[in-house]
Structure formats: structure tokens, C-alpha cells
Amino acid sequence: MSNRPEKRLRLEQKDEVTSLDANVSLLDTDQPICPDKSEGPKKVGITRRKRKQKQPVVEPYSSDDVLYHDVTALLQKSGKIIEEDNAWDAPLPIGTELELVASDLSSTGDSLSILPEPYPPWTVAVPFVLPGERARVRIYRNAKFVSFADLMSVENPNEELRDMSRVQCKYFGKCAGCQYQMLSYQDQLDFKRKVVDKAYINFSNLPQELIPFALPTIASPFIYGYRTKITPHFDIPPKKPRKFESAIQKEWELRIGFGQKGRRAVMDIEECPIATPVLNKALVPIRKDVQSRIASYKRGATLLLRDSLVIPLKGANDGVNTGASVNDAPSEEHVCITDYHALVRTRVGEFLFEYPAGSFFQNNDSILEPLTSYVRDAVLGTSTTPPTHLVDAYCGSGLFSITLSPHFSRVAGVEISKESIEYARHNAELNQVPASKCTFHAGKAEAIFESVTSFPPNQTVIVVDPPRKGCDIAFLKQLINFGPATVVYVSCNVHTQARDVGIILKETEHRADGRYELESLRGFDLFPQTAHVESVAILRKCIS
């Protein structure tokens, strides 16, 4: 019996979501990968008329675009007939106070409530409110089919979901960092699983029978004290009081911390419970130093605090060649690094990685071993003829290349950043991975396959881990033409991942050399207590 996830039953639809002509390949057109979706896809029950006036463009796959899809789905599910001509005609003036019952949680973490009759079809997004709760709110901004509101009070809490004794941060409810501290961790994981499902329904442009249900979200080993990088920021005193400031506000106050939910303002935050203890300890003297020297700053600044293992003294900050070896007895003592150019050392299982503090590396070290192990197991599977070659696109400092290297005869990593490639090579040496087995190439991912022409496609796995914007058309076209046996798509933005996976499946549907099947989807919780979820999609090539 197959262990593959259950496929979705296709729902009867009166009108399919439309985008490109079914007979035209996106890869052969000049259309951008992010078409203007400011009006959203055509939906059932939506009529379109000429706009009364020009409105702001909603960037495709942005949080506003994601929210728009959640909003229209909720309104249609409730039987509302919505008209695009009225999409920006907010029925609630700024400052309106009212009580609402939350219907659902959006993919962005805010609750969504539908305005009751006699209001027209419209929703209100409110942070820190859970489904089924009645809350008193105040409107502060209007957008497309949705108004944004501040939470004033929860009048009738959902006692099955909400437990305020779980909250470990005194700033929760105001700070924009966390959304879910009042939820049990299992409920957080369940909500994030739904986010992955909705992303593929809304953005993959695939028929539902081709989309497997997302598997249960992989939990983080630590749900507090896990974040290994924080970037508090602060502003300097204004030279002249702003016109809109009241007399009380004119007396400026230094705030060092993070953004306030729903405001372009910095909250003064002395401690962040999701950050590691090392970072919170270091934050105290760093704040005092800024306070004592605030007059010397010419502009506001962003601070960097990064958790690192202690690096052996020999060459610790003399560039790439630290002189450290994975076989050295490593010190597990942690320190806080504040210099963007200093080296950070991170352990992922039996492997060590070093990279500049200011460069990209995942911010939750505790889940990296489960993540890389999952990719390994998914790639190798139970096949009697496992793949022999690995291509790591957008390889960074070599996380997947190096952790998966024991299971392949040849590994190639490609990254646009020359500095990242330099550190990927260093990390391969640090972990005693020979250069004859694992090579790294600096260059655009769009040209990745020029360096792996000797790799046999039917024995090759490609790991794709792009930035939030996802993959470019040029890269997807080359990937499809290369035709690897397996594609592992790791993403920090499940919505652009859904778009790219949809393109791969559609473009290979009728290829003579085989099509791709979306075998599984799974979320990974790299940021507990927040609404963010990362996703891993496994694609297999099928030869008919």
C-alpha cells in the first residue's frame, strides 16, 4: 500500500480560476512570473465593473495579496456576492469602534470577521483575536474588501483555544513580532498546516486533485528561546516636532526594540522571550550603550545580535581560514556577536558552519537538523537505486550541500553571492568534505545547469531554496529541461513556492520525457509563537 499523502477530491466549480491561456506555455512567453494580480483571480460570484478611481496596486504574493485571497474566500463561503467595483468602498470610517465575532484566522495571523447586515460584504482584520471570539475593535485603516482594526478588548474569549497563562512576553498584544502566544503549540502547528493548504489552493493554479493535503507541521524543538538572531532598532530625536504630534508627544523618548503592531513606530523592548538567553543577556548592556551615546548618532540604526558557538582562537576572525576543524573538541559555549563582519559558528547535528554575522543563515538552529534530516529521508526514500548526484541551488554557505554530502557521490552548489560561495567552500573543508566530491560555483541560479552538464538527470536530485520572491522563469525553464529525478523545494514563502510548483507541473504535463508529480507538502515551524511557516515540497519525475 502506498504511503503517499491522500490526494484532494476535486470540488465542482462553476468557474475555474483563470490566468494564462491553457495552450500557451508561460516559459515561452514574455510574461513576468509575478503578473499584476492587484485585482486578484476571477472568483465565483464576483462581478467586475470599471473602477471609479485608481487604487493602490497590491503586489502579487505579498501579505496584502495573501490576505485578499483569504478575505474573498471567506465572503464567498458565507454566501456574500461581492463586486470588484466596490472593493475599496469601505463602509467603516477610520476611528469607528464596534464589536465583532471572528470567523477565521487569516494566513497572516490576524482574525477575520464579516460585518453583519445591513453592511455590504466586508471584512475586518484584527490581531490577537481567535475564531469564535467576540472582540471590541477600532478601525485604523481600510483596504480592499477589508478594514484593519486595533484590538481594544476580548469580550467573549474562546476558552477552548485561548489560555493567557501561556503568554511569556509582557509586550505580547502590542509588539508585531508574535501572534500566537495564547495558543497551545499543537494548535499553532495545526493553523500553520492550513496556511500551506490554502497557499496551494490560491496560488498554484493547479486542479485540486493534483494537490496533496499538507502533512502535519514539523515542530521546533524549542518554542521559546530559539531565535538566534535579533535586530532591534531605534530612531534619533527629530530635529523639528512633526505637525501631527500632540503636545504630549513632542517630548521625544528613545525606544530601542521592535515594531508596534499596526503602527510605524518602535516599541521599547528590554527582553524578547523567543530570542536565545545569550542574546537577551547581551541586549541589556547594548541598550545602555546606545542610551549613553544617542547624541552621537546622526540617524536611526538597526542593531545586530547573533548567537554563536565560541570559535577556537586560531584565526577566529582572520577571514575564511579559521584553522578550526570539525574534529577539534568544540566548545559548546555560546556568545553574542554584534559585528556584521565577524564570524558566527553554528552546529547542525554533526556538522559545523561558519559565516559572517551579517549574512543569511536560518534563525532557528534547533530545527535545522530535523529539516535537513527530513530532506535526506525524502530524497533517499525506500528506493533500491538511490540518487547519486545532488545539485544545491541558492546554496548559501552550504547547509544542504554539506549535510547531505555523505549520501551522494557528487555534489554541486550554486549561489549568486561570491562571499557565500567562499564560506561554502570553507565549510566543506571544515567538515572534511573533499573538493573532489563537493564543488561550489559562484553565479546566477538561472545558469546553474551550465556547471552540472556531466550529472545524469535520472540520478540527480535538485534542492531549491530561493529567497522570498521564489524562482525566476529562466531557472524554472532550465530545471524542467534538465529533468532531475527529484526536486526538493524548500521555501520561506509558501505562496511563491505554490506558484513555482504549479508552473513545473503544468509545463511538464505533456512532455515526452516525463512529467512531475507533487508527492508531498509539509510545513516546518521555524518561528514558533508567530504566524510564519516554511514549507518543503517534494516533486518526483514520472515516466509514463
Side-chain angles (χ1 to χ4, degrees):
M1 182 178 292
S2 173
N3 292 323
R4 292 182 179 178
E6 177 186 358
K7 300 290 185 179
R8 300 177 185 277
L9 295 177
R10 180 158 187 159
L11 303 178
E12 290 187 3
Q13 297 181 349
K14 298 179 182 178
D15 187 14
E16 291 286 332
V17 174
T18 59
S19 57
L20 300 172
D21 188 315
N23 297 317
V24 177
S25 167
L26 175 60
L27 302 184
D28 294 331
T29 70
D30 293 328
Q31 298 187 43
I33 197 167
C34 294
D36 183 1
K37 295 174 61 180
S38 60
E39 296 188 10
K42 190 173 182 180
K43 300 274 188 174
V44 181
I46 299 180
T47 60
R48 298 180 183 274
R49 301 175 185 172
K50 188 176 180 181
R51 282 277 177 84
K52 296 179 182 178
Q53 60 184 15
K54 188 175 180 180
Q55 298 292 352
V57 174
V58 177
E59 181 182 353
Y61 314 103
S62 66
S63 59
D64 284 346
D65 192 28
V66 171
L67 183 63
Y68 168 82
H69 283 78
D70 285 349
V71 163
T72 54
L74 179 62
L75 289 172
Q76 292 177 69
K77 184 179 179 181
S78 67
K80 303 288 185 181
I81 303 299
I82 57 179
E83 298 184 356
E84 286 290 331
D85 191 47
N86 300 324
W88 297 89
D89 296 341
L92 301 174
I94 303 300
T96 301
E97 295 184 10
L98 71 164
E99 287 190 7
L100 294 168
V101 176
S103 298
D104 201 358
L105 277 182
S106 71
S107 298
T108 60
D110 291 342
S111 69
L112 289 178
S113 303
I114 300 176
L115 289 183
E117 300 289 348
Y119 289 107
W122 200 262
T123 61
V124 179
V126 188
F128 314 116
V129 176
L130 300 174
E133 295 186 329
R134 176 176 290 276
R136 185 158 189 82
V137 306
R138 180 189 293 116
I139 306 297
Y140 69 85
R141 181 166 74 90
N142 293 312
K144 192 176 183 181
F145 287 124
V146 62
S147 295
F148 294 87
D150 290 322
L151 172 63
M152 299 176 68
S153 62
V154 176
E155 301 297 320
N156 293 321
N158 182 337
E159 295 182 355
E160 292 183 4
L161 292 176
R162 179 181 292 272
D163 183 349
M164 295 306 291
S165 69
R166 299 187 181 110
V167 175
Q168 295 190 21
C169 180
K170 63 182 179 181
Y171 306 104
F172 180 72
K174 293 183 180 180
C175 176
C178 294
Q179 296 79 45
Y180 291 162
Q181 288 193 26
M182 77 294 258
L183 286 170
S184 72
Y185 192 45
Q186 185 58 53
D187 285 333
Q188 294 184 38
L189 298 176
D190 291 343
F191 278 122
K192 295 183 182 191
R193 184 180 185 180
K194 293 177 183 177
V195 171
V196 177
D197 283 331
K198 288 192 294 182
Y200 274 78
I201 292 172
N202 292 334
F203 293 98
S204 71
N205 201 27
L206 291 171
Q208 290 185 349
E209 67 265 20
L210 296 183
I211 309 172
F213 286 106
L215 296 167
T217 309
I218 298 295
S220 170
F222 299 123
I223 63 174
Y224 281 99
Y226 65 83
R227 191 175 179 111
T228 52
K229 175 187 174 184
I230 59 173
T231 53
H233 44 278
F234 61 90
D235 297 320
I236 60 171
K239 295 180 180 180
K240 295 181 180 180
R242 297 182 179 89
K243 293 181 179 180
F244 60 82
E245 288 181 324
S246 67
I248 296 177
Q249 291 173 318
K250 288 180 181 178
E251 187 173 344
W252 182 82
E253 176 186 358
L254 174 62
R255 299 186 181 96
I256 306 168
F258 308 103
Q260 181 179 348
K261 180 64 177 177
R263 299 290 184 273
R264 294 182 178 178
V266 177
M267 289 187 63
D268 193 53
I269 293 180
E270 299 174 339
E271 181 184 21
C272 178
I274 65 172
T276 64
V278 167
L279 299 189
N280 277 311
K281 183 178 180 180
L283 184 59
V284 176
I286 290 174
R287 283 172 49 86
K288 290 181 179 178
D289 179 66
V290 172
Q291 291 164 353
S292 66
R293 298 191 300 113
I294 188 61
S296 66
Y297 286 91
K298 295 182 178 180
R299 61 180 65 88
T302 297
L303 306 171
L304 171 68
L305 289 81
R306 197 147 203 172
D307 194 316
S308 172
L309 292 175
V310 172
I311 300 176
L313 291 178
K314 183 180 178 182
N317 285 291
D318 295 337
V320 173
N321 295 318
T322 64
S325 167
V326 74
N327 290 327
D328 294 339
S331 168
E332 297 298 331
E333 178 186 356
H334 289 249
V335 293
C336 176
I337 302 296
T338 59
D339 181 351
Y340 279 78
H341 303 291
L343 283 186
V344 169
R345 171 178 276 205
T346 295
R347 177 176 291 279
V348 180
E350 63 186 79
F351 300 95
L352 290 173
F353 293 88
E354 294 178 352
Y355 49 90
S359 65
F360 175 78
F361 200 84
Q362 294 289 0
N363 294 338
N364 181 350
D365 294 350
S366 72
I367 200 172
L368 295 185
E369 186 176 8
L371 172 61
T372 54
S373 296
Y374 177 82
V375 171
R376 177 200 65 208
D377 294 343
V379 164
L380 300 179
T382 57
S383 174
T384 55
T385 57
T388 56
H389 291 63
L390 171 69
V391 178
D392 184 4
Y394 309 93
C395 69
S397 54
L399 176 64
F400 289 105
S401 302
I402 292 168
T403 57
L404 299 180
S405 63
H407 309 285
F408 294 88
S409 59
R410 290 284 306 280
V411 177
V414 177
E415 169 64 51
I416 191 172
S417 167
K418 292 183 179 179
E419 182 183 53
S420 293
I421 288 296
E422 188 178 5
Y423 280 95
R425 290 170 179 160
H426 161 66
N427 288 325
E429 182 180 352
L430 181 65
N431 290 280
Q432 301 179 346
V433 181
S436 58
K437 178 177 187 176
C438 189
T439 59
F440 293 94
H441 310 274
K444 293 185 177 181
E446 292 82 353
I448 180 177
F449 299 98
E450 295 176 1
S451 59
V452 294
T453 54
S454 63
F455 282 30
N458 64 342
Q459 298 178 47
T460 298
V461 173
I462 292 185
V463 175
V464 182
D465 186 9
R468 289 189 60 81
K469 69 176 184 178
C471 299
D472 293 332
I473 284 291
F475 172 80
L476 293 177
K477 185 173 183 178
Q478 290 184 68
L479 183 151
I480 289 170
N481 289 335
F482 182 80
T486 303
V487 177
V488 180
Y489 194 137
V490 182
S491 178
C492 60
N493 184 346
V494 65
H495 306 95
T496 53
Q497 182 196 60
R499 173 201 68 198
D500 294 345
V501 168
I503 291 173
I504 294 171
L505 266 63
K506 279 187 168 294
E507 293 298 326
T508 62
E509 185 176 7
H510 302 295
R511 284 180 67 104
D513 59 347
R515 61 181 174 82
Y516 282 96
E517 177 183 276
L518 178 55
E519 181 177 281
S520 66
L521 290 169
R522 187 159 225 158
F524 278 76
D525 191 17
L526 271 72
F527 298 97
Q529 317 308 330
T530 79
H532 182 78
V533 62
E534 308 225 347
S535 176
V536 177
I538 308 296
L539 286 72
R540 305 280 189 191
K541 192 169 188 181
C542 303
I543 307 297
S544 301

